[in-house]
Amino acid sequence: IELSDDEDDVHPNIDRESWFRMKHRSRVEREENEEKDKKRILAEMAKNNQRIKELEHDISKLSEGTLVIKDISAGDDDDDDDDDDDSDDDEDLDDREGLEAELKELKISNQKIQGKLDEYERNKKWNVDNMCVVTDEKTIINPSAGQRDFTGTGFAKSTEENKGETKKSMNATKGKVPKETKSSAPTSSTPAASSSTRPKMTEEAKTEPGPIRESSAMDTYHEFTVKHADRVEEFMHIESMEKSKEFLLQYGDILLQENASNYLLLASLEDEMNGYREKMRLTARQSQIISNIAELAKSLNAHPGNVVIPFFNRLDQKEFHDGFMDGVENFVQKIISRAVKKRAEMDKEMEAKAVDGEGVDLSSVPKEQRLGPGGLDPLEVIEELPVEMQQAFESRDVEKLKAVLLKMEPTEAERLMKRCVDSGLWVSG
């Protein structure tokens, strides 16, 4: 069996596509030359067979004629007639021997020709074109072929969107077409919430009849995170590209949606802001896989699920893989830059709240960000303080705090104040 023309045995210095085309053309030309030679051999054999039939017919006629002459000569007593008959017999014998010699040569020639045909058949190389024969062929028309189950940006539509379009088409037949707003993705300026703390859709929002409200975009994203956050989180932690491909082929209807791409983007930003640089890099790579598949699907005007395998096949080529990793690195640098700006915005917002007298809920701030200059957590330190000191800090009453400290042992008061300074509860000076 001859291997496929696109087998992966190309030298790095040879263009892959050109090599495939050359191998295919060489195979086709070789098969065409073999077919021409077979036709020539078969034509020669057919010509020989025709001549063999003629010779066998002539020889049989000669045999019948000789027998007739012998029967006539047996009943004739004239000597002259006997001499003439002997002369005719000699001529017939010479003709018959010549015909039989020619017949023998033709049969030997046919045997040699048949040997060539048998050799062609023994050495025949089987491939995808000559191994199989079409015995039955039919065409199946997909009734929903005109419906697009992917967006103009190359992402897959969610099942909710597909159901909405079906209802919309049904209402259109009745003359009632509900207005529907396009879902917009949340911006990267807000960190992604964890799956355990995401808000859930209320029953009123789920069952409210009529056209979709303007807030349906955020509702759709929250519905997606509630239903599929665990699946996206699982995809985020896959390091192998081969396993990523298999996971996308299995759960592409979820991971190839635009909401999944937004989730990965926000998760990358959140990981960077929380100090998980390596985790952020892996999440950013997975995010770029989804984005690149969507871009390829958009350029081909195809469903993103149909370009998963072509995309990963491209990554097997060094030039495409290097280009993809360069894009991932650029995306990582943008995430790092955005995280710095976002952190500055959050700090500025907290300072503004402090100036306005608004309290800041430290429990909502990640522990890594609320640690004081000495590496202590202010929430843990304030719980260890006496109740009077806690009240003084909460009311920001410096005089009350001094009075409480004067009542304590000097060493204990000094120890507690040092912990307050290390946790950031008290700023010295």
PDB file of all heavy atoms in Angstrom, residues 17-46:
ATOM      1  N   GLU A  17       3.995  22.303   1.178  1.00  0.00           N
ATOM      2  CA  GLU A  17       2.927  22.258   0.178  1.00  0.00           C
ATOM      3  C   GLU A  17       3.458  21.892  -1.202  1.00  0.00           C
ATOM      4  O   GLU A  17       2.851  21.117  -1.933  1.00  0.00           O
ATOM      5  CB  GLU A  17       2.210  23.612   0.137  1.00  0.00           C
ATOM      6  CG  GLU A  17       1.527  24.013   1.440  1.00  0.00           C
ATOM      7  CD  GLU A  17       0.453  23.026   1.844  1.00  0.00           C
ATOM      8  OE1 GLU A  17      -0.169  22.439   0.935  1.00  0.00           O
ATOM      9  OE2 GLU A  17       0.233  22.829   3.046  1.00  0.00           O
ATOM     10  N   SER A  18       4.614  22.458  -1.566  1.00  0.00           N
ATOM     11  CA  SER A  18       5.213  22.139  -2.875  1.00  0.00           C
ATOM     12  C   SER A  18       5.598  20.661  -2.947  1.00  0.00           C
ATOM     13  O   SER A  18       5.438  20.014  -3.979  1.00  0.00           O
ATOM     14  CB  SER A  18       6.439  23.019  -3.119  1.00  0.00           C
ATOM     15  OG  SER A  18       6.084  24.380  -3.116  1.00  0.00           O
ATOM     16  N   TRP A  19       6.118  20.132  -1.830  1.00  0.00           N
ATOM     17  CA  TRP A  19       6.504  18.716  -1.795  1.00  0.00           C
ATOM     18  C   TRP A  19       5.289  17.816  -1.975  1.00  0.00           C
ATOM     19  O   TRP A  19       5.330  16.830  -2.723  1.00  0.00           O
ATOM     20  CB  TRP A  19       7.201  18.431  -0.471  1.00  0.00           C
ATOM     21  CG  TRP A  19       7.549  16.996  -0.235  1.00  0.00           C
ATOM     22  CD1 TRP A  19       6.934  16.125   0.592  1.00  0.00           C
ATOM     23  CD2 TRP A  19       8.613  16.265  -0.853  1.00  0.00           C
ATOM     24  NE1 TRP A  19       7.523  14.888   0.553  1.00  0.00           N
ATOM     25  CE2 TRP A  19       8.566  14.939  -0.331  1.00  0.00           C
ATOM     26  CE3 TRP A  19       9.592  16.570  -1.783  1.00  0.00           C
ATOM     27  CZ2 TRP A  19       9.467  13.963  -0.710  1.00  0.00           C
ATOM     28  CZ3 TRP A  19      10.478  15.588  -2.159  1.00  0.00           C
ATOM     29  CH2 TRP A  19      10.417  14.304  -1.639  1.00  0.00           C
ATOM     30  N   PHE A  20       4.180  18.159  -1.329  1.00  0.00           N
ATOM     31  CA  PHE A  20       2.972  17.361  -1.459  1.00  0.00           C
ATOM     32  C   PHE A  20       2.469  17.377  -2.904  1.00  0.00           C
ATOM     33  O   PHE A  20       2.087  16.345  -3.464  1.00  0.00           O
ATOM     34  CB  PHE A  20       1.886  17.891  -0.533  1.00  0.00           C
ATOM     35  CG  PHE A  20       2.196  17.681   0.930  1.00  0.00           C
ATOM     36  CD1 PHE A  20       1.508  18.379   1.907  1.00  0.00           C
ATOM     37  CD2 PHE A  20       3.171  16.782   1.322  1.00  0.00           C
ATOM     38  CE1 PHE A  20       1.793  18.192   3.252  1.00  0.00           C
ATOM     39  CE2 PHE A  20       3.463  16.577   2.654  1.00  0.00           C
ATOM     40  CZ  PHE A  20       2.775  17.281   3.620  1.00  0.00           C
ATOM     41  N   ARG A  21       2.450  18.561  -3.513  1.00  0.00           N
ATOM     42  CA  ARG A  21       1.977  18.667  -4.900  1.00  0.00           C
ATOM     43  C   ARG A  21       2.860  17.873  -5.849  1.00  0.00           C
ATOM     44  O   ARG A  21       2.373  17.214  -6.781  1.00  0.00           O
ATOM     45  CB  ARG A  21       1.920  20.137  -5.325  1.00  0.00           C
ATOM     46  CG  ARG A  21       0.788  20.924  -4.677  1.00  0.00           C
ATOM     47  CD  ARG A  21       0.581  22.242  -5.397  1.00  0.00           C
ATOM     48  NE  ARG A  21       1.758  23.090  -5.310  1.00  0.00           N
ATOM     49  CZ  ARG A  21       1.966  23.979  -4.353  1.00  0.00           C
ATOM     50  NH1 ARG A  21       1.071  24.141  -3.392  1.00  0.00           N
ATOM     51  NH2 ARG A  21       3.052  24.729  -4.336  1.00  0.00           N
ATOM     52  N   MET A  22       4.183  17.907  -5.641  1.00  0.00           N
ATOM     53  CA  MET A  22       5.108  17.198  -6.517  1.00  0.00           C
ATOM     54  C   MET A  22       4.904  15.676  -6.395  1.00  0.00           C
ATOM     55  O   MET A  22       4.880  14.954  -7.408  1.00  0.00           O
ATOM     56  CB  MET A  22       6.542  17.564  -6.155  1.00  0.00           C
ATOM     57  CG  MET A  22       7.569  16.951  -7.110  1.00  0.00           C
ATOM     58  SD  MET A  22       9.249  17.133  -6.516  1.00  0.00           S
ATOM     59  CE  MET A  22       9.248  16.009  -5.128  1.00  0.00           C
ATOM     60  N   LYS A  23       4.735  15.185  -5.151  1.00  0.00           N
ATOM     61  CA  LYS A  23       4.525  13.755  -4.962  1.00  0.00           C
ATOM     62  C   LYS A  23       3.217  13.301  -5.599  1.00  0.00           C
ATOM     63  O   LYS A  23       3.159  12.250  -6.248  1.00  0.00           O
ATOM     64  CB  LYS A  23       4.510  13.433  -3.467  1.00  0.00           C
ATOM     65  CG  LYS A  23       5.859  13.522  -2.800  1.00  0.00           C
ATOM     66  CD  LYS A  23       5.787  13.084  -1.357  1.00  0.00           C
ATOM     67  CE  LYS A  23       5.425  11.624  -1.239  1.00  0.00           C
ATOM     68  NZ  LYS A  23       5.381  11.153   0.146  1.00  0.00           N
ATOM     69  N   HIS A  24       2.183  14.101  -5.453  1.00  0.00           N
ATOM     70  CA  HIS A  24       0.898  13.745  -6.039  1.00  0.00           C
ATOM     71  C   HIS A  24       0.989  13.735  -7.560  1.00  0.00           C
ATOM     72  O   HIS A  24       0.478  12.813  -8.218  1.00  0.00           O
ATOM     73  CB  HIS A  24      -0.166  14.733  -5.575  1.00  0.00           C
ATOM     74  CG  HIS A  24      -1.523  14.467  -6.148  1.00  0.00           C
ATOM     75  ND1 HIS A  24      -2.312  13.402  -5.739  1.00  0.00           N
ATOM     76  CD2 HIS A  24      -2.230  15.113  -7.121  1.00  0.00           C
ATOM     77  CE1 HIS A  24      -3.435  13.412  -6.428  1.00  0.00           C
ATOM     78  NE2 HIS A  24      -3.423  14.435  -7.263  1.00  0.00           N
ATOM     79  N   ARG A  25       1.644  14.739  -8.144  1.00  0.00           N
ATOM     80  CA  ARG A  25       1.773  14.807  -9.598  1.00  0.00           C
ATOM     81  C   ARG A  25       2.592  13.637 -10.130  1.00  0.00           C
ATOM     82  O   ARG A  25       2.263  13.043 -11.163  1.00  0.00           O
ATOM     83  CB  ARG A  25       2.411  16.136 -10.002  1.00  0.00           C
ATOM     84  CG  ARG A  25       2.460  16.346 -11.519  1.00  0.00           C
ATOM     85  CD  ARG A  25       2.888  17.745 -11.885  1.00  0.00           C
ATOM     86  NE  ARG A  25       4.219  18.064 -11.407  1.00  0.00           N
ATOM     87  CZ  ARG A  25       4.480  18.900 -10.415  1.00  0.00           C
ATOM     88  NH1 ARG A  25       3.476  19.504  -9.782  1.00  0.00           N
ATOM     89  NH2 ARG A  25       5.712  19.150 -10.026  1.00  0.00           N
ATOM     90  N   SER A  26       3.662  13.265  -9.415  1.00  0.00           N
ATOM     91  CA  SER A  26       4.492  12.135  -9.854  1.00  0.00           C
ATOM     92  C   SER A  26       3.693  10.835  -9.829  1.00  0.00           C
ATOM     93  O   SER A  26       3.792  10.018 -10.751  1.00  0.00           O
ATOM     94  CB  SER A  26       5.718  11.999  -8.944  1.00  0.00           C
ATOM     95  OG  SER A  26       6.508  13.168  -8.997  1.00  0.00           O
ATOM     96  N   ARG A  27       2.890  10.644  -8.787  1.00  0.00           N
ATOM     97  CA  ARG A  27       2.082   9.429  -8.702  1.00  0.00           C
ATOM     98  C   ARG A  27       1.053   9.375  -9.816  1.00  0.00           C
ATOM     99  O   ARG A  27       0.863   8.326 -10.457  1.00  0.00           O
ATOM    100  CB  ARG A  27       1.386   9.364  -7.329  1.00  0.00           C
ATOM    101  CG  ARG A  27       0.477   8.172  -7.180  1.00  0.00           C
ATOM    102  CD  ARG A  27      -0.033   8.044  -5.762  1.00  0.00           C
ATOM    103  NE  ARG A  27      -0.873   9.158  -5.376  1.00  0.00           N
ATOM    104  CZ  ARG A  27      -2.163   9.286  -5.677  1.00  0.00           C
ATOM    105  NH1 ARG A  27      -2.749   8.341  -6.414  1.00  0.00           N
ATOM    106  NH2 ARG A  27      -2.869  10.299  -5.267  1.00  0.00           N
ATOM    107  N   VAL A  28       0.397  10.498 -10.089  1.00  0.00           N
ATOM    108  CA  VAL A  28      -0.616  10.537 -11.146  1.00  0.00           C
ATOM    109  C   VAL A  28       0.018  10.272 -12.510  1.00  0.00           C
ATOM    110  O   VAL A  28      -0.519   9.504 -13.321  1.00  0.00           O
ATOM    111  CB  VAL A  28      -1.354  11.884 -11.133  1.00  0.00           C
ATOM    112  CG1 VAL A  28      -2.264  12.013 -12.346  1.00  0.00           C
ATOM    113  CG2 VAL A  28      -2.163  12.039  -9.848  1.00  0.00           C
ATOM    114  N   GLU A  29       1.189  10.863 -12.789  1.00  0.00           N
ATOM    115  CA  GLU A  29       1.859  10.652 -14.079  1.00  0.00           C
ATOM    116  C   GLU A  29       2.295   9.199 -14.225  1.00  0.00           C
ATOM    117  O   GLU A  29       2.189   8.627 -15.313  1.00  0.00           O
ATOM    118  CB  GLU A  29       3.061  11.595 -14.191  1.00  0.00           C
ATOM    119  CG  GLU A  29       2.665  13.064 -14.353  1.00  0.00           C
ATOM    120  CD  GLU A  29       3.882  13.960 -14.405  1.00  0.00           C
ATOM    121  OE1 GLU A  29       5.010  13.447 -14.194  1.00  0.00           O
ATOM    122  OE2 GLU A  29       3.722  15.176 -14.645  1.00  0.00           O
ATOM    123  N   ARG A  30       2.809   8.588 -13.146  1.00  0.00           N
ATOM    124  CA  ARG A  30       3.230   7.184 -13.222  1.00  0.00           C
ATOM    125  C   ARG A  30       2.044   6.291 -13.523  1.00  0.00           C
ATOM    126  O   ARG A  30       2.132   5.377 -14.366  1.00  0.00           O
ATOM    127  CB  ARG A  30       3.871   6.769 -11.892  1.00  0.00           C
ATOM    128  CG  ARG A  30       4.453   5.354 -11.929  1.00  0.00           C
ATOM    129  CD  ARG A  30       4.874   4.872 -10.576  1.00  0.00           C
ATOM    130  NE  ARG A  30       3.719   4.606  -9.733  1.00  0.00           N
ATOM    131  CZ  ARG A  30       3.466   5.203  -8.589  1.00  0.00           C
ATOM    132  NH1 ARG A  30       4.283   6.151  -8.149  1.00  0.00           N
ATOM    133  NH2 ARG A  30       2.407   4.882  -7.874  1.00  0.00           N
ATOM    134  N   GLU A  31       0.910   6.528 -12.880  1.00  0.00           N
ATOM    135  CA  GLU A  31      -0.276   5.710 -13.119  1.00  0.00           C
ATOM    136  C   GLU A  31      -0.809   5.906 -14.539  1.00  0.00           C
ATOM    137  O   GLU A  31      -1.264   4.957 -15.173  1.00  0.00           O
ATOM    138  CB  GLU A  31      -1.354   6.053 -12.096  1.00  0.00           C
ATOM    139  CG  GLU A  31      -0.996   5.615 -10.677  1.00  0.00           C
ATOM    140  CD  GLU A  31      -2.057   6.019  -9.675  1.00  0.00           C
ATOM    141  OE1 GLU A  31      -2.972   6.790 -10.059  1.00  0.00           O
ATOM    142  OE2 GLU A  31      -1.975   5.582  -8.504  1.00  0.00           O
ATOM    143  N   GLU A  32      -0.745   7.145 -15.044  1.00  0.00           N
ATOM    144  CA  GLU A  32      -1.192   7.391 -16.416  1.00  0.00           C
ATOM    145  C   GLU A  32      -0.313   6.649 -17.424  1.00  0.00           C
ATOM    146  O   GLU A  32      -0.820   6.071 -18.404  1.00  0.00           O
ATOM    147  CB  GLU A  32      -1.175   8.894 -16.702  1.00  0.00           C
ATOM    148  CG  GLU A  32      -2.275   9.668 -15.966  1.00  0.00           C
ATOM    149  CD  GLU A  32      -2.198  11.150 -16.242  1.00  0.00           C
ATOM    150  OE1 GLU A  32      -1.188  11.590 -16.864  1.00  0.00           O
ATOM    151  OE2 GLU A  32      -3.122  11.883 -15.841  1.00  0.00           O
ATOM    152  N   ASN A  33       1.005   6.651 -17.208  1.00  0.00           N
ATOM    153  CA  ASN A  33       1.918   5.934 -18.118  1.00  0.00           C
ATOM    154  C   ASN A  33       1.670   4.429 -18.070  1.00  0.00           C
ATOM    155  O   ASN A  33       1.718   3.749 -19.105  1.00  0.00           O
ATOM    156  CB  ASN A  33       3.374   6.228 -17.745  1.00  0.00           C
ATOM    157  CG  ASN A  33       3.754   7.674 -18.027  1.00  0.00           C
ATOM    158  OD1 ASN A  33       3.166   8.319 -18.895  1.00  0.00           O
ATOM    159  ND2 ASN A  33       4.734   8.191 -17.296  1.00  0.00           N
ATOM    160  N   GLU A  34       1.408   3.901 -16.884  1.00  0.00           N
ATOM    161  CA  GLU A  34       1.107   2.474 -16.778  1.00  0.00           C
ATOM    162  C   GLU A  34      -0.174   2.128 -17.518  1.00  0.00           C
ATOM    163  O   GLU A  34      -0.246   1.089 -18.199  1.00  0.00           O
ATOM    164  CB  GLU A  34       0.984   2.089 -15.299  1.00  0.00           C
ATOM    165  CG  GLU A  34       2.315   2.097 -14.552  1.00  0.00           C
ATOM    166  CD  GLU A  34       2.139   1.726 -13.090  1.00  0.00           C
ATOM    167  OE1 GLU A  34       0.975   1.509 -12.669  1.00  0.00           O
ATOM    168  OE2 GLU A  34       3.156   1.649 -12.375  1.00  0.00           O
ATOM    169  N   GLU A  35      -1.192   2.975 -17.409  1.00  0.00           N
ATOM    170  CA  GLU A  35      -2.454   2.704 -18.105  1.00  0.00           C
ATOM    171  C   GLU A  35      -2.267   2.738 -19.618  1.00  0.00           C
ATOM    172  O   GLU A  35      -2.844   1.921 -20.343  1.00  0.00           O
ATOM    173  CB  GLU A  35      -3.511   3.727 -17.684  1.00  0.00           C
ATOM    174  CG  GLU A  35      -4.024   3.533 -16.264  1.00  0.00           C
ATOM    175  CD  GLU A  35      -4.687   2.183 -16.075  1.00  0.00           C
ATOM    176  OE1 GLU A  35      -5.384   1.736 -17.011  1.00  0.00           O
ATOM    177  OE2 GLU A  35      -4.513   1.573 -15.009  1.00  0.00           O
ATOM    178  N   LYS A  36      -1.455   3.687 -20.112  1.00  0.00           N
ATOM    179  CA  LYS A  36      -1.192   3.761 -21.553  1.00  0.00           C
ATOM    180  C   LYS A  36      -0.489   2.497 -22.032  1.00  0.00           C
ATOM    181  O   LYS A  36      -0.806   1.944 -23.092  1.00  0.00           O
ATOM    182  CB  LYS A  36      -0.337   4.990 -21.869  1.00  0.00           C
ATOM    183  CG  LYS A  36      -1.076   6.317 -21.725  1.00  0.00           C
ATOM    184  CD  LYS A  36      -0.153   7.478 -22.065  1.00  0.00           C
ATOM    185  CE  LYS A  36      -0.878   8.815 -21.912  1.00  0.00           C
ATOM    186  NZ  LYS A  36       0.019   9.968 -22.206  1.00  0.00           N
ATOM    187  N   ASP A  37       0.499   2.028 -21.256  1.00  0.00           N
ATOM    188  CA  ASP A  37       1.232   0.817 -21.645  1.00  0.00           C
ATOM    189  C   ASP A  37       0.312  -0.401 -21.625  1.00  0.00           C
ATOM    190  O   ASP A  37       0.385  -1.274 -22.508  1.00  0.00           O
ATOM    191  CB  ASP A  37       2.408   0.608 -20.691  1.00  0.00           C
ATOM    192  CG  ASP A  37       3.433  -0.351 -21.249  1.00  0.00           C
ATOM    193  OD1 ASP A  37       3.475  -0.521 -22.492  1.00  0.00           O
ATOM    194  OD2 ASP A  37       4.201  -0.942 -20.462  1.00  0.00           O
ATOM    195  N   LYS A  38      -0.591  -0.474 -20.630  1.00  0.00           N
ATOM    196  CA  LYS A  38      -1.537  -1.581 -20.573  1.00  0.00           C
ATOM    197  C   LYS A  38      -2.467  -1.578 -21.783  1.00  0.00           C
ATOM    198  O   LYS A  38      -2.758  -2.634 -22.366  1.00  0.00           O
ATOM    199  CB  LYS A  38      -2.366  -1.496 -19.282  1.00  0.00           C
ATOM    200  CG  LYS A  38      -1.598  -1.864 -18.020  1.00  0.00           C
ATOM    201  CD  LYS A  38      -2.510  -1.753 -16.806  1.00  0.00           C
ATOM    202  CE  LYS A  38      -1.766  -2.082 -15.527  1.00  0.00           C
ATOM    203  NZ  LYS A  38      -2.629  -1.937 -14.331  1.00  0.00           N
ATOM    204  N   LYS A  39      -2.950  -0.391 -22.168  1.00  0.00           N
ATOM    205  CA  LYS A  39      -3.835  -0.299 -23.337  1.00  0.00           C
ATOM    206  C   LYS A  39      -3.105  -0.749 -24.601  1.00  0.00           C
ATOM    207  O   LYS A  39      -3.666  -1.440 -25.458  1.00  0.00           O
ATOM    208  CB  LYS A  39      -4.347   1.126 -23.489  1.00  0.00           C
ATOM    209  CG  LYS A  39      -5.349   1.540 -22.410  1.00  0.00           C
ATOM    210  CD  LYS A  39      -5.816   2.962 -22.636  1.00  0.00           C
ATOM    211  CE  LYS A  39      -6.831   3.379 -21.559  1.00  0.00           C
ATOM    212  NZ  LYS A  39      -7.294   4.770 -21.752  1.00  0.00           N
ATOM    213  N   ARG A  40      -1.819  -0.353 -24.726  1.00  0.00           N
ATOM    214  CA  ARG A  40      -1.045  -0.757 -25.898  1.00  0.00           C
ATOM    215  C   ARG A  40      -0.864  -2.273 -25.933  1.00  0.00           C
ATOM    216  O   ARG A  40      -1.008  -2.923 -26.977  1.00  0.00           O
ATOM    217  CB  ARG A  40       0.319  -0.068 -25.869  1.00  0.00           C
ATOM    218  CG  ARG A  40       1.221  -0.408 -27.057  1.00  0.00           C
ATOM    219  CD  ARG A  40       2.596   0.166 -26.859  1.00  0.00           C
ATOM    220  NE  ARG A  40       3.241  -0.380 -25.683  1.00  0.00           N
ATOM    221  CZ  ARG A  40       3.815  -1.582 -25.634  1.00  0.00           C
ATOM    222  NH1 ARG A  40       3.804  -2.382 -26.713  1.00  0.00           N
ATOM    223  NH2 ARG A  40       4.391  -2.013 -24.532  1.00  0.00           N
ATOM    224  N   ILE A  41      -0.553  -2.866 -24.771  1.00  0.00           N
ATOM    225  CA  ILE A  41      -0.346  -4.310 -24.694  1.00  0.00           C
ATOM    226  C   ILE A  41      -1.642  -5.057 -24.994  1.00  0.00           C
ATOM    227  O   ILE A  41      -1.654  -6.059 -25.737  1.00  0.00           O
ATOM    228  CB  ILE A  41       0.178  -4.683 -23.290  1.00  0.00           C
ATOM    229  CG1 ILE A  41       1.603  -4.147 -23.113  1.00  0.00           C
ATOM    230  CG2 ILE A  41       0.152  -6.191 -23.085  1.00  0.00           C
ATOM    231  CD1 ILE A  41       2.146  -4.333 -21.708  1.00  0.00           C
ATOM    232  N   LEU A  42      -2.752  -4.591 -24.460  1.00  0.00           N
ATOM    233  CA  LEU A  42      -4.037  -5.235 -24.708  1.00  0.00           C
ATOM    234  C   LEU A  42      -4.440  -5.141 -26.175  1.00  0.00           C
ATOM    235  O   LEU A  42      -5.013  -6.085 -26.743  1.00  0.00           O
ATOM    236  CB  LEU A  42      -5.116  -4.605 -23.818  1.00  0.00           C
ATOM    237  CG  LEU A  42      -5.006  -4.902 -22.317  1.00  0.00           C
ATOM    238  CD1 LEU A  42      -6.046  -4.089 -21.546  1.00  0.00           C
ATOM    239  CD2 LEU A  42      -5.193  -6.399 -22.040  1.00  0.00           C
ATOM    240  N   ALA A  43      -4.132  -3.990 -26.800  1.00  0.00           N
ATOM    241  CA  ALA A  43      -4.441  -3.848 -28.228  1.00  0.00           C
ATOM    242  C   ALA A  43      -3.610  -4.822 -29.055  1.00  0.00           C
ATOM    243  O   ALA A  43      -4.110  -5.441 -30.016  1.00  0.00           O
ATOM    244  CB  ALA A  43      -4.182  -2.409 -28.665  1.00  0.00           C
ATOM    245  N   GLU A  44      -2.330  -4.981 -28.695  1.00  0.00           N
ATOM    246  CA  GLU A  44      -1.464  -5.919 -29.410  1.00  0.00           C
ATOM    247  C   GLU A  44      -1.948  -7.353 -29.221  1.00  0.00           C
ATOM    248  O   GLU A  44      -1.962  -8.157 -30.162  1.00  0.00           O
ATOM    249  CB  GLU A  44      -0.035  -5.769 -28.894  1.00  0.00           C
ATOM    250  CG  GLU A  44       0.975  -6.652 -29.631  1.00  0.00           C
ATOM    251  CD  GLU A  44       2.386  -6.440 -29.118  1.00  0.00           C
ATOM    252  OE1 GLU A  44       2.596  -5.494 -28.314  1.00  0.00           O
ATOM    253  OE2 GLU A  44       3.274  -7.216 -29.516  1.00  0.00           O
ATOM    254  N   MET A  45      -2.382  -7.703 -28.018  1.00  0.00           N
ATOM    255  CA  MET A  45      -2.886  -9.046 -27.750  1.00  0.00           C
ATOM    256  C   MET A  45      -4.180  -9.302 -28.522  1.00  0.00           C
ATOM    257  O   MET A  45      -4.396 -10.409 -29.058  1.00  0.00           O
ATOM    258  CB  MET A  45      -3.115  -9.227 -26.239  1.00  0.00           C
ATOM    259  CG  MET A  45      -3.649 -10.601 -25.857  1.00  0.00           C
ATOM    260  SD  MET A  45      -3.865 -10.793 -24.075  1.00  0.00           S
ATOM    261  CE  MET A  45      -2.151 -10.942 -23.588  1.00  0.00           C
ATOM    262  N   ALA A  46      -5.045  -8.291 -28.582  1.00  0.00           N
ATOM    263  CA  ALA A  46      -6.291  -8.455 -29.331  1.00  0.00           C
ATOM    264  C   ALA A  46      -6.008  -8.680 -30.805  1.00  0.00           C
ATOM    265  O   ALA A  46      -6.668  -9.507 -31.470  1.00  0.00           O
ATOM    266  CB  ALA A  46      -7.172  -7.221 -29.132  1.00  0.00           C
TER     267      ALA A  46
END
